[in-house]
Amino acid sequence: MDYVRMRAIAEDLGAYAERLEGAWRVEIGPSGPVLAMTRPSKRREGTVRRIRNQLDEQVPATHPGYICANGPQIEHPTIGRMRRPDAVVIPEAALDEEGLAVDAAQVLAAVEIVSPSGPGNAYDEKLADYPAMGIPHCMIVDPRTGTIEVHSEPCKGRYSSKEPYIFGDAVPFGPWTVRTSEFRRYGKDG
């Protein structure tokens, strides 16, 4: 199926999802358009907020006009993918453009927080799609294990660099640093 048809199906699914109760997301993955219910946990959302706030403080110094936003779709029509990262570094002006998704060529970094129910989407599909989309930096935060992976240097559809960290580390992420001392694990106090 060509991307134009997949995109049309994704838009129809998005319109359908707006009429449903709960939180839904539409993405285009390797098998085509997918409508999935999301169950954001408070700890997951807290981690997204902490990362977004830290990056928003640092990004203007390195990339004037860019912000860290949560939620916009990103797409790469050539490879037929549309994804919704938990947070993404993009030009602020992209949020004022018409349309459903931001062009992946405008994305400097993507952040994924592994859901309490499992890592499949973050570690498998998105970690394959983001380098194929040409996104220079990807951070995967796993509150199940208290670990972080920073991926960079996309080459031939894969990231050629992977650096592991644990909660509490000051994590280099592209030209920025994410302090993780306040990140919380799922099911753990403090």
Side-chain angles (χ1 to χ4, degrees):
M1 179 182 317
D2 70 6
Y3 187 74
V4 174
R5 282 189 57 211
M6 286 192 292
R7 184 69 174 351
I9 292 168
E11 287 184 27
D12 289 345
L13 287 172
Y16 174 73
E18 289 177 8
R19 298 189 306 266
L20 300 173
E21 288 187 32
W24 296 85
R25 76 171 191 277
V26 176
E27 295 183 332
I28 300 174
S31 58
V34 175
L35 174 64
M37 184 175 202
T38 60
R39 293 183 27 205
S41 73
K42 292 185 292 184
R43 288 225 167 138
R44 183 175 194 229
E45 294 305 309
T47 302
V48 171
R49 183 189 60 77
R50 287 179 179 95
I51 293 169
R52 191 186 70 236
N53 289 348
Q54 290 184 50
L55 292 178
D56 264 342
E57 290 175 6
Q58 299 171 56
V59 166
T62 60
H63 296 85
Y66 279 72
I67 62 166
C68 183
N70 61 319
Q73 299 274 16
I74 58 174
E75 73 177 333
H76 194 295
T78 306
I79 65 167
R81 297 291 189 273
M82 184 171 68
R83 292 296 188 179
R84 187 171 191 259
D86 291 312
V88 62
V89 178
I90 56 173
E92 185 171 16
L95 296 176
D96 293 326
E97 297 170 353
E98 285 292 327
L100 178 66
V102 174
D103 183 338
Q106 295 180 293
V107 177
L108 296 180
V111 177
E112 290 293 337
I113 313 301
V114 175
S115 70
S117 61
N121 196 30
Y123 284 115
D124 299 332
E125 292 184 11
K126 291 185 179 183
L127 196 50
D129 288 346
Y130 292 159
M133 294 171 127
I135 297 171
H137 306 282
C138 175
M139 176 187 288
I140 298 177
V141 178
D142 194 339
R144 297 167 319 128
T145 60
T147 59
I148 301 153
E149 291 182 359
V150 174
H151 300 266
S152 60
E153 301 174 26
C155 179
K156 298 181 182 176
R158 299 179 54 224
Y159 286 115
S160 58
S161 177
K162 172 183 151 185
E163 297 296 326
Y165 299 92
I166 60 171
F167 283 19
D169 289 344
V171 177
F173 184 45
W176 317 292
T177 300
V178 176
R179 296 171 312 280
T180 67
S181 60
E182 294 184 14
F183 288 13
R184 300 292 174 253
R185 292 181 61 183
Y186 299 139
K188 306 277 184 189
D189 289 330

